[in-house]
Amino acid sequence: MAPINLFVFREVYFKIVLSILVVIAAMLLLQNSLNNLKLRSLVAEATSSKLQITASTIASAIVRAEGLGLAMDEMAGLQDLLDRERARDQSIVQIEVVSPIGAPVVVSGAIPSNPNDPKHVDRLIKEREQAFRRVLGARDKVTLFNAGLHLYTGRVIYDSSDAVMGAIVLTTPTRQYLSRANQSLHKMTNAYLAIFTVVAILLVPFIIFQFSGVRHAYRALDPDLIDTDSKIDDLPEAAQNIVVTTEAGQSAYSSASAELDELLQTSAKKHKTGEAGDAS
């Protein structure tokens, strides 16, 4: 058996450390992905809640006008109100007041076109149709619809008889709030990388320390250490006990082997003596 030292266990240490680090990295990656999804959802809800303040202001004006007997398309100052509210919040690109069937009544602003996307108009039409169906078809008074590129926030308007007069739909690009979410996500990712680095640094000496007993046990079985008191004294007490036990076992084995050889020799001599007597 060749001399055994720490480097004999480098493959074992490497595989154990690598396996643990892979598991930790997978857990942190999964946690980071879940946090990303949750953060995007929370930021979208927070943005929609802020836009609901604008929608509530417009809805209150429409309800007051309806109490005076004016329909939405008869309100002279509704267009100016929408323009002021949109100018107050730069994140809003469009405010629409639609009828119960989704037909635009008053519109302020427009969603910017994307010249690099030839299907932008068709995609925008589908988004608006889905958003109007979600807002007017849901039983909730307030609705949030994330279409990917745009976030639609809707608020249903009821008249004095609790019938649906229409809805207010506010549109904002998702990049307006995703930039803040990405900044927070970047900070969380750096925190996870710092955690992983600290764990990786502390894990290597911890694994070496935990498996030091096994290493000492193998060292105790090194033939170069047996019958060498100066080297045995350098081993831990548990390893010294293994060496002593091994030496005792080898001594007992040697004694038994010597006794067996002696018995075999004696038996062979007696057998030869008996054959010689028979021959005479």
Side-chain angles (χ1 to χ4, degrees), residues 93-109:
V93 296
Q94 188 177 52
I95 302 177
E96 295 180 87
V97 178
V98 298
S99 66
I101 61 174
V105 178
V106 183
V107 180
S108 175

Side-chain angles (χ1 to χ4, degrees), residues 17 41 47 54 96 103 135 141 167 170 174 180 193 198 231 263 270:
V17 172
S41 177
T47 303
T54 302
E96 295 180 87
V135 172
K141 187 175 183 179
L170 298 90
T174 54
R180 299 191 299 269
L193 290 176
V198 172
K231 294 184 178 180
L263 289 175
K270 290 182 179 181

Side-chain angles (χ1 to χ4, degrees), residues 244-262:
V244 172
T245 304
T246 304
E247 290 179 350
Q250 289 182 347
S251 178
Y253 176 77
S254 300
S255 300
S257 298
E259 292 179 0
L260 180 61
D261 292 340
E262 185 178 353

Side-chain angles (χ1 to χ4, degrees), residues 18-29:
L18 181 61
S19 300
I20 296 176
L21 290 180
V22 168
V23 172
I24 295 175
M27 293 175 59
L28 292 177
L29 181 61

Side-chain angles (χ1 to χ4, degrees), residues 93-129:
V93 296
Q94 188 177 52
I95 302 177
E96 295 180 87
V97 178
V98 298
S99 66
I101 61 174
V105 178
V106 183
V107 180
S108 175
I111 300 177
S113 61
N114 185 3
N116 298 325
D117 187 1
K119 298 181 179 180
H120 174 76
V121 177
D122 295 337
R123 184 178 294 108
L124 184 60
I125 293 174
K126 292 181 180 179
E127 282 186 5
R128 287 165 53 83
E129 291 177 353

